[in-house]
Amino acid sequence: MKRKDFIKSSTTFAAGTVLFPMISCRDEKKTIAEEVTAQVRKNWAGNYTYTAENLFEPSTVEEVQALVKKLDSQKALGSCHCFNNIADSPLNQISTKNLKGIIDLDEKAMTVTVGAGAKYGDFATELHDKGYALHNLASLPHISVAGACATATHGSGVTNGNLATKVVAIELVNGKGEIVQISKTDDHELLNACVVSLGALGIITKMTLEIEKTFDVRQDVFQNLPLESLKDNFNAILSGGYSVSLFTDWQDQNISQVWVKRRMDQEIKDLGSDYYGATAATRNLHPITELSAENCTEQMGVPGPWYDRLPHFKMGFTPSSGKELQSEFFIPREKALDAILALEKIGEKFKPQLMITEIRTIAADELWMSPCYHQDCVAIHFTWEQNPKEVGELIKIIEKELEPFVYRPHWGKVFTIAPANLHSRYPKYSEFITLAKQLDPMGKFKNDYLNQNIYNS
């Protein structure tokens, strides 16, 4: 079905406030027939307590359909890694954690289909053992595929799109409880509309991802890059590897660490002990230099498989609840250096609450609600102490400083931008609203987050 026909008929398929919406979800087993009163549950970081009264954990797509038909107000719950209330519901949450694993590996089409609740770390090793790889991973591999794609979560690399850009097909259950199949082959533009869904279109049950032949990566880390060198060599520094991350605390005119990840199947040269004025590390480092690097992926130029180098943290490391807050802002790449320099001038204000800032690049895409829609971006990510009041005030200051650069916030993190201002930054916003109303005509998937940030006009 073509997008224009889909929009015409819904019958074809049977911020104005600070959002502090944590991995500590409970694991009690529940059957589809049970209406379980949810105990106190928090997101990964522990900063948000879910308000949904009931939690369901279906094991099949058919059970998801039955729940959607039965329940009036509901929301899909993934790996609980968002820092706001995007995955909460006034009444019911439907966990996708039992919809996991590799469902199909199509070696001819070079795709893998996984359950929506699968975490990248759940199947990456198996994929590698069969000779295949994903193009990129986020810094933490313990996140669900559907949740990561729905919020446009990303890794780094000037030529790498976010994780959602490699989705070639999805299966979702719409607001009527019907199964909807959408693929790049059948309707590329409709898929572009639905991948970064914000949970507004239905409950994703399967995702098909483009894969490639497996590859090894080496990771080299450098310390103390002078800010002056970043000014003079900005594009070269960020383009120096397949994936590059800068870490800074905004102090002393200095970038504390540069992580350069390079594919071993591409021509590379020895970077030596100096990277644009930064000095090669002599040991593995945590992004926050003072912390232990025990759970960080191997550095020091030692090659390893893609899944064990592209993230910053090891697959086998299961993070406890991270007592922190996160915010992130996407800036058009051509404006990014000026934005960084603007923030550097007020960096002293961040010091009491900031753990670390990471700066990464993401390539432009065609996904309607992606912060990188039609623009190459640099993302400026803040990891904060978990002090909502103080951090909320700092985020307002940062957003004001970044306003001239027309930033877009990460959908799953903490932001305060007014809804009308947010909507104006997404050219396909109105069409997305139309599509959401077609797929969810009774508003079953609406929640406070969507009412505030998407439906609020």
Side-chain angles (χ1 to χ4, degrees), residues 50-66:
Y50 294 113
T51 61
E53 297 177 7
N54 307 304
L55 175 66
F56 298 88
E57 296 179 344
S59 296
T60 67
V61 175
E62 291 74 21
E63 289 180 348
V64 174
Q65 288 183 272

Side-chain angles (χ1 to χ4, degrees), residues 92-197:
N92 307 294
Q93 285 178 310
I94 300 177
S95 171
T96 60
K97 74 173 190 175
N98 293 325
L99 306 176
K100 59 185 178 180
I102 293 178
I103 297 170
D104 178 61
L105 177 63
D106 189 331
E107 297 180 273
K108 183 177 180 180
M110 292 294 285
T111 62
V112 63
T113 300
V114 299
K119 299 174 184 177
Y120 287 94
D122 291 342
F123 66 93
T125 304
E126 181 181 353
L127 196 61
H128 168 73
D129 289 344
K130 293 179 183 296
Y132 300 101
L134 301 174
H135 87 294
N136 211 351
L137 289 170
S139 60
L140 193 70
H142 311 79
I143 55 178
S144 68
V145 173
C149 292
T151 54
T153 295
H154 59 92
S156 188
V158 294
T159 63
N160 296 325
N162 63 45
L163 301 182
T165 59
K166 294 301 180 178
V167 176
V168 296
I170 63 173
E171 176 185 274
L172 64 82
V173 176
N174 68 12
K176 296 180 179 181
E178 302 162 333
I179 294 176
V180 180
Q181 307 276 358
I182 305 167
S183 73
K184 186 175 183 179
T185 302
D186 293 338
D187 193 326
H188 193 178
E189 188 64 2
L190 183 57
L191 184 69
N192 287 339
C194 293
V195 176
V196 182
S197 66

Side-chain angles (χ1 to χ4, degrees), residues 38 41 48-54 85 88-93 448:
R41 295 173 299 110
Y48 183 81
T49 300
Y50 294 113
T51 61
E53 297 177 7
N54 307 304
N85 57 348
D88 203 0
S89 167
L91 291 174
N92 307 294
Q93 285 178 310
D448 288 346

Side-chain angles (χ1 to χ4, degrees), residues 354-425:
L354 182 69
M355 293 184 182
I356 199 69
T357 285
E358 182 178 8
I359 298 171
R360 290 176 285 180
T361 57
I362 310 97
D365 59 53
E366 298 289 330
L367 308 177
W368 287 11
M369 300 306 286
S370 165
C372 297
Y373 179 76
H374 285 188
Q375 63 180 28
D376 293 327
C377 286
V378 169
I380 306 174
H381 182 282
F382 296 84
T383 301
W384 304 102
E385 298 286 351
Q386 199 173 104
N387 298 315
K389 181 179 179 180
E390 293 85 351
V391 170
E393 291 304 312
L394 285 173
I395 290 172
K396 291 177 182 178
I397 292 171
I398 289 169
E399 290 183 334
K400 182 177 180 180
E401 202 68 38
L402 293 179
E403 184 62 29
F405 307 104
V406 197
Y407 71 90
R408 294 170 179 170
H410 190 297
W411 293 109
K413 301 187 189 294
V414 181
F415 58 88
T416 75
I417 186 172
N421 201 358
L422 182 62
H423 301 165
S424 70
R425 301 180 187 200

Side-chain angles (χ1 to χ4, degrees), residues 34 42 44 70 83 88 104 114 118 129 151 164 190 225 230 245 275 328 344 366 378 382 400 451:
E34 287 183 295
K42 294 179 179 291
W44 178 80
K70 172 186 175 183
F83 289 77
D88 203 0
D104 178 61
V114 299
D129 289 344
T151 54
L190 183 57
L225 175 72
L230 183 67
S245 292
Y275 189 73
E328 186 171 35
E344 189 274 334
E366 298 289 330
V378 169
F382 296 84
K400 182 177 180 180
N451 289 336

